[in-house]
Amino acid sequence: MSDWLNLTRLAVLDASQLSLGTRGNLPKDVRGVFLNNLPRDRAGRAAIETEALWGVPLLGGVSPFVGRHQFARRGGRSGAMLTFWDERQFLALLDQSRSFPLPLEPGTVEDFGGRITVAVARDEAFRCYFAETLDALERRGARLVDFSPLHDESLPRGVDCVYLGCGNCTPYGAALAQNHCIKESLRTHVRRGGRIYAEGAGAAYLCRWMEIMPGCTIPGVGLLPAAGRRMPRFGDPSALALHLRKATWMGPAGTEVRGYRNWEWWFEPESLDSGLISEPGFEYDVIGNGTVLGSLLHLDFAAQEHLLSAFFHSAHPRPHSFTGR
C-alpha cells in the first residue's frame, strides 16, 4: 500500500527491545521513528542516537506509564504517557509528504479526452447504486458530486449529467413534493443542454406524477411525460437484454441495454411515442427523449463499456466550474 500510494513510511519500535548504540536495520525508506516503552529519562539520548544510527528523526516516544496524556517536546513529566514529541520534525515531514505525487500505473485512470461532472442523488430517499458503476465513472475521469432531492435547493455547479438511482420514497413523499426549488433546478439543467439518467424510484420522481404508494400520488419533476406508478405486487428483479428503438445520449437506435427489471414500478405514459425500447411488451421500460432517460432497468454501467462511454460523449459540450455549489 505504501509503494502503491507513495505514502510516507514511519517505523514504530519497542525501545525495551533495543540496545541504543547498536545499529539495527530499519525497513526500507523509513522517514521517521516512534519508540514505544521509552523510559522518560532516556528520551533525549534516544533522539540523538536514533538520528545518528539511522539518519531519521525520532518523532515521538511513549513511556510504559499509564496516566494522563501530557505532551513534552523534549523529555517527559512524571506520570506522563507521551514522554517525547518533536512537533517541528513531524510538521516538516507532513509538508514534505504533501509534495509527493500520487503514482498512477498505466490503465489506472482512463481518460476519454475530457472531464465531466456527474451529480448523484444520495439521501434517505435515493441511495441504490452499483458501487462498481460509480468507481468506473471516477476511473474514467468523472467528478462525482452528491446532491439531495430532499434537502438541497439546487444542483451543484457545473453539472454535465444527473444520475438518480432507486430507493424508498414512501416516507419522504411530502418533502419531495414540496421541494420546488430542486425540481426547477433539474428542469433548468435540461433546458441548458444537460443530461439526466434515472432508474426505478428516481425515474418515477422525474415523471409528472409519482405514486409513492398505491392510490397516493405526488407531483414529480415533470421531465418525463408519464406517471410513475407502484405495482400492488412485485417480484424479484429479472435480468433483461433490450434494445433502444431511438437514438438517445446513451447511444444510437439499436443500442443494447442489459439490466435488472425492477417490478416495483411501471410507467403510465401520456404519449405512445415516449417508449424507447424495441421489444414488444417492454416498449415503456425506458422512456424519455434525447437528453432525459427514465429506466425501469437497473443498469450496471461498469459491465457495459458502450453505455459507460456514453457519459463522456456529450453532444453539447459546456464550460463548467469545479468550484462547488
Side-chain angles (χ1 to χ4, degrees):
M1 182 67 73
S2 296
D3 291 337
W4 180 47
L5 295 177
N6 201 14
L7 299 175
T8 299
R9 292 187 173 189
L10 304 178
V12 180
L13 304 176
D14 188 344
S16 66
Q17 302 299 315
L18 298 177
S19 175
L20 293 179
T22 302
R23 184 176 179 84
N25 294 321
L26 286 180
K28 183 181 177 182
D29 297 329
V30 165
R31 297 179 180 272
V33 172
F34 286 93
L35 290 179
N36 189 23
N37 293 321
L38 175 64
R40 56 190 179 87
D41 58 350
R42 299 183 63 190
R45 178 189 169 201
I48 296 172
E49 296 200 9
T50 297
E51 297 182 21
L53 289 172
W54 292 307
V56 295
L58 178 64
L59 301 177
V62 179
S63 77
F65 304 107
V66 178
R68 187 178 53 175
H69 290 238
Q70 296 179 354
F71 296 85
R73 185 178 298 272
R74 298 289 179 184
R77 300 178 184 175
S78 177
M81 173 178 270
L82 185 60
T83 62
F84 180 85
W85 172 241
D86 194 332
E87 184 177 13
R88 178 185 60 81
Q89 292 273 26
F90 183 73
L91 293 178
L93 189 62
L94 284 182
D95 290 337
Q96 185 182 24
S97 300
R98 291 190 185 102
S99 67
F100 295 163
L102 179 65
L104 297 176
E105 297 179 1
T108 301
V109 175
E110 303 170 53
D111 193 346
F112 272 72
R115 295 287 184 256
I116 63 169
T117 298
V118 180
V120 182
R122 282 201 266 207
D123 55 23
E124 301 92 322
F126 303 98
R127 56 191 178 192
C128 296
Y129 298 92
F130 287 102
E132 53 266 34
T133 288
L134 303 182
D135 291 342
L137 285 170
E138 288 189 315
R139 285 198 303 270
R140 299 298 177 90
R143 173 177 177 261
L144 303 187
V145 293
D146 293 347
F147 79 100
S148 169
L150 280 173
H151 308 296
D152 290 343
E153 295 183 352
S154 65
L155 292 173
R157 292 181 183 177
V159 169
D160 297 280
C161 187
V162 175
Y163 186 0
L164 291 120
C166 197
N168 179 18
C169 297
T170 300
Y172 313 104
L176 290 171
Q178 294 168 9
N179 193 347
H180 303 290
C181 293
I182 194 66
K183 293 181 186 178
E184 181 57 30
S185 182
L186 287 165
R187 293 189 287 264
T188 300
H189 167 74
V190 174
R191 287 195 293 268
R192 292 175 175 172
R195 297 164 292 153
I196 297 182
Y197 169 74
E199 58 191 21
Y205 173 66
L206 291 185
C207 293
R208 299 194 196 281
W209 296 95
M210 178 185 190
E211 188 176 59
I212 58 173
M213 63 179 65
C216 179
T217 61
I218 63 171
V221 179
L223 288 172
L224 294 175
R229 297 197 176 278
R230 297 284 297 272
M231 296 288 285
R233 291 187 299 274
F234 52 89
D236 295 331
S238 303
L240 295 176
L242 304 174
H243 298 82
L244 297 178
R245 70 178 184 89
K246 291 182 179 179
T248 72
W249 68 262
M250 198 174 286
T255 297
E256 183 180 69
V257 291
R258 289 178 285 111
Y260 298 90
R261 175 60 157 84
N262 183 347
W263 296 105
E264 184 178 359
W265 294 96
W266 62 284
F267 295 130
E268 184 180 291
E270 296 178 356
S271 169
L272 296 179
D273 194 47
S274 60
L276 296 178
I277 295 299
S278 298
E279 282 77 5
F282 299 94
E283 295 92 337
Y284 303 104
D285 278 18
V286 180
I287 64 174
N289 50 49
T291 56
V292 181
L293 297 176
S295 173
L296 299 180
L297 276 71
H298 291 211
L299 304 181
D300 183 358
F301 290 92
Q304 302 176 79
E305 182 75 22
H306 60 296
L307 299 184
L308 184 67
S309 301
F311 276 89
F312 299 85
H313 298 162
S314 174
H316 305 286
R318 302 179 296 125
H320 53 271
S321 166
F322 295 106
T323 58
R325 294 182 182 274

